[in-house]
Amino acid sequence: MIFDFSCLQISSLWERLVSAIGDAAGNALGRVVEAIRTLFEGDPETRRQVSFSVAIIALSAKMAKADGIVTEAEVRAFQQIFDFPDEEARNVARLYNLARQDVAGYEAYASKLSNLCSSGATENCPMLESVVDGLFHIAKADGLVHEKELLFLGRIAEIFRIDDEHFRRIMARHVHLDGRDPYLVLGVSPEDDFAAIRKQYRLLVSEHHPDRLIARGVPATLHAAANERMAALNAAYKAIEKERRAA
């Protein structure tokens, strides 16, 4: 889940938040920001956690809307990366449906998220990388990552201060326009010797291991995206290892 619901009177919290926002699409971001600021003014940590949660919901909905159509597969993909108690399904759905009415405002939500990196990194923040992985998970849920979705994701990465090379590596884990490129996934070159490739692989595994992410304060809901990323890293390394052994 995006944060520990057991720590909060979450039912009351989400009911208050959704009621404060209302159902009108007009100036939705302004309503959300003002509601969070007002409701949790004396509790900065809860305000940070709620801001992160709302931004994830909004970006997930707007990601699904980027190609013009929100499919059931994309909604299910969102539910896979955002874990919430059954009793909060109605409130989360109201926020999601409000955000998915159009793509407008996504940059503002992304900007809010970019300031919440738990590790304090200014570039290539691991937590924000997990967010991008989660959004890719939604984008590919209907079997095709649309050009407009790639543009959306590229802009999100830019706002998150994820550099171009890093974004290409993230994309390689999800999109295979010219077939899978295990070297790009690991950020290595076919010219590198296998010892260097193994060293890079082990470094990436260490950086992105779920236990390491927990220690960094990465919200638990993003662990599903982290597990998918680990699977991609492992598959890339095995592919290179098999290729080198056959050579």
Side-chain angles (χ1 to χ4, degrees):
M1 58 189 69
I2 206 121
F3 57 89
D4 190 354
F5 285 92
S6 65
C7 295
L8 309 166
Q9 293 181 333
I10 199 68
S11 180
S12 173
L13 184 157
W14 283 89
E15 285 284 358
R16 289 160 60 201
L17 178 60
V18 172
S19 296
I21 296 169
D23 294 316
N27 196 25
L29 175 63
R31 288 170 178 264
V32 171
V33 172
E34 180 61 23
I36 292 172
R37 187 190 67 79
T38 302
L39 293 175
F40 315 114
E41 188 169 9
D43 189 345
E45 179 56 23
T46 297
R47 186 168 65 244
R48 187 189 73 83
Q49 293 174 341
V50 173
S51 295
F52 192 94
S53 297
V54 169
I56 287 288
I57 295 171
L59 284 182
S60 297
K62 293 180 184 299
M63 170 74 258
K65 186 67 174 180
D67 62 355
I69 302 173
V70 179
T71 68
E72 286 299 318
E74 289 169 327
V75 174
R76 287 194 299 271
F78 161 71
Q79 294 168 340
Q80 290 168 356
I81 67 164
F82 189 92
D83 186 20
F84 50 85
D86 291 341
E87 61 269 22
E88 291 308 318
R90 180 174 61 87
N91 290 322
V92 171
R94 286 180 67 185
L95 287 172
Y96 184 91
N97 289 332
L98 177 64
R100 78 174 185 173
Q101 293 181 37
D102 57 43
V103 180
Y106 80 91
E107 291 175 318
Y109 282 108
S111 294
K112 291 286 289 183
L113 267 182
S114 70
N115 296 320
L116 297 174
C117 182
S118 60
S119 67
T122 57
E123 293 184 353
N124 300 327
C125 169
M127 183 173 73
L128 297 180
E129 180 177 348
S130 292
V131 173
V132 177
D133 269 320
L135 294 176
F136 263 111
H137 180 77
I138 294 170
K140 66 184 182 183
D142 56 3
L144 174 68
V145 180
H146 193 277
E147 181 181 355
K148 290 183 179 179
E149 292 173 325
L150 284 177
L151 290 173
F152 179 100
L153 288 161
R155 178 59 181 143
I156 294 293
E158 182 181 357
I159 294 171
F160 284 175
R161 296 184 290 278
I162 294 174
D163 62 45
D164 290 344
E165 180 180 353
H166 212 80
F167 180 67
R168 285 195 296 272
R169 286 168 55 187
I170 297 172
M171 184 168 65
R173 297 197 287 260
H174 303 276
V175 181
H176 317 293
L177 298 178
D178 301 312
R180 295 179 182 272
D181 185 345
Y183 293 95
L184 180 56
V185 170
L186 296 183
V188 295
S189 167
E191 284 72 43
D192 292 337
D193 62 44
F194 189 65
I197 293 172
R198 182 171 55 242
K199 182 178 180 180
Q200 171 69 359
Y201 163 71
R202 289 176 175 173
L203 176 63
L204 291 173
V205 168
S206 174
E207 288 179 348
H208 296 292
H209 192 279
D211 290 343
R212 184 80 174 268
L213 297 178
I214 292 172
R216 287 174 174 164
V218 174
T221 192
L222 298 179
H223 294 176
N227 289 334
E228 187 175 0
R229 177 169 60 244
M230 285 292 295
L233 294 175
N234 290 334
Y237 179 74
K238 288 180 181 178
I240 294 174
E241 185 179 40
K242 182 178 180 180
E243 173 190 296
R244 294 299 176 96
R245 283 179 175 174

